[in-house]
Amino acid sequence: MATRRNSTDDPLAPVTLAVGQEDLLLDRAVQHVVAAARASDADTDVRDLTSDQLQPGTLAELTSPSLFAERKVVIVRNAQDLSADTVKDVKAYLTAPAEEITLVLLHAGGAKGKGLLDAVRKAGAREVACPKTTKPAERLTFVRSEFRTLGRSATAEACQALVDSIGSDLRELASAVSQLAADVEGTIDEAVVGRYYTGRAEASSFTVADRAVEGRAAEALEALRWSLSTGVAPVLITSALAQGVRAIGKLSSARGGRPADLARELGMPPWKIDRVRQQMRGWTPDGVSAALRAVAVADAGVKGGGDDPEYALEKAVVAIARAARSGGR
């Protein structure tokens, strides 16, 4: 690989390899490179491709010399799924990367596509680790880091309370930290977190989800409106709705057994098994499918795909409650 800008700290190194399965960290690795490229050249051309879009010969076309010598960022997602012929193209490119072009490869790690992973590492690519967080301590460290990055001070108790309230989704945790940092002055303490996320049941995104999957549409809508009025980010609510519906689906398709056994099998705490068992009465596979579709539509709506995030959430809540009662019919 050429020696041009190949520092491990340089986002404009010829090749960046983001390895892992944590979507938020993978997205941030991409955003960091794109931001650096556009800071260098506001007209940077960004091409964001999935593995199936990068066919044999496509990389050569994207990285061919330009008459205008424009800067370009080429992003390849799920690089572990590239075809054998396309992997050959990537390996060939590594020997002589093009000037003014940054290639970003997102790879899940693991055995699949290991040949490409090894080749990119051997070529000296800048590597960004994006591991899935599986331990509470890792999520706590993440929350503390988010506050520091935003230049805000949060007590240890506040960070722990936020992890306890939000759960394991890093995207949700990051959104919650951002919301608190934007809305609250001074040091963020446990009382502040409680006021936003755990102080009143109505203000919790998980309460919205619980009432919806129980088929209690009116109560779910009331909880939704209160949550939005107290500053809960819409993305947190869609995520909670998704988690609630997926939990119904997981438990309904699991083998019978004690809560402790099911907890290990499904990755849920035993207390949640008991709660979901109570919530899943009346649900059918068709109902779960219909509810997940409703959540997907709402998620797109709150992330810029619609004009009214609140309306998108209301539609999802009603659809989920209906699915809970009628199996999605």
Side-chain angles (χ1 to χ4, degrees), residues 156-190:
E157 293 78 11
C159 294
Q160 184 64 62
L162 197 59
V163 171
D164 292 342
S165 300
I166 301 300
S168 61
D169 191 301
L170 288 199
R171 202 177 294 277
E172 288 184 16
L173 287 168
S175 178
V177 169
S178 178
Q179 184 77 42
L180 289 168
D183 290 356
V184 179
E185 297 182 358
T187 299
I188 296 165
D189 58 19
E190 187 176 7

Side-chain angles (χ1 to χ4, degrees), residues 25-38:
L25 300 183
L26 290 168
D27 285 346
R28 285 184 172 180
V30 170
Q31 292 163 7
H32 189 200
V33 172
V34 172
R38 286 182 169 155

Side-chain angles (χ1 to χ4, degrees), residues 210-234:
D210 285 341
R211 299 297 85 80
V213 300
E214 291 162 4
R216 297 154 65 180
E219 293 177 41
L221 288 171
E222 182 182 356
L224 170 65
R225 288 161 188 154
W226 184 269
S227 295
L228 293 172
S229 72
T230 56
V232 177

Side-chain angles (χ1 to χ4, degrees), residues 197-209:
Y197 298 103
T198 59
R200 290 186 61 173
E202 297 92 336
S204 167
S205 56
F206 292 103
T207 298
V208 179

Side-chain angles (χ1 to χ4, degrees), residues 29-159:
V30 170
Q31 292 163 7
H32 189 200
V33 172
V34 172
R38 286 182 169 155
S40 176
D41 180 354
D43 296 323
T44 293
D45 182 16
V46 178
R47 304 296 180 92
D48 196 332
L49 308 173
T50 58
S51 57
D52 60 317
Q53 291 175 314
L54 194 71
Q55 297 296 318
T58 304
L59 183 62
E61 294 176 9
L62 292 174
T63 57
S64 59
S66 167
L67 291 175
F68 305 102
E70 63 182 356
R71 180 171 290 284
K72 185 180 293 184
V73 176
V74 178
I75 303 152
V76 181
R77 299 180 184 273
N78 300 313
Q80 71 278 359
D81 296 328
L82 290 172
S83 68
D85 288 338
T86 304
V87 168
K88 290 179 182 177
D89 288 351
V90 176
K91 289 181 177 179
Y93 178 79
L94 294 175
T95 63
E99 289 290 332
E100 301 302 315
I101 291 178
T102 300
L103 176 63
V104 183
L105 298 171
L106 276 58
H107 195 294
K112 188 175 184 182
K114 190 172 185 300
L116 174 62
L117 190 63
D118 292 343
V120 178
R121 283 171 168 163
K122 185 176 180 180
R126 168 180 175 263
E127 185 167 341
V128 180
C130 304
K132 202 78 174 174
T133 56
T134 58
K135 299 177 181 178
E138 294 171 342
R139 293 189 282 274
L140 188 58
T141 298
F142 173 80
V143 167
R144 289 170 175 163
S145 175
E146 290 292 289
F147 278 120
R148 283 197 299 271
T149 299
L150 293 174
R152 297 304 306 276
S153 175
T155 66
E157 293 78 11
C159 294

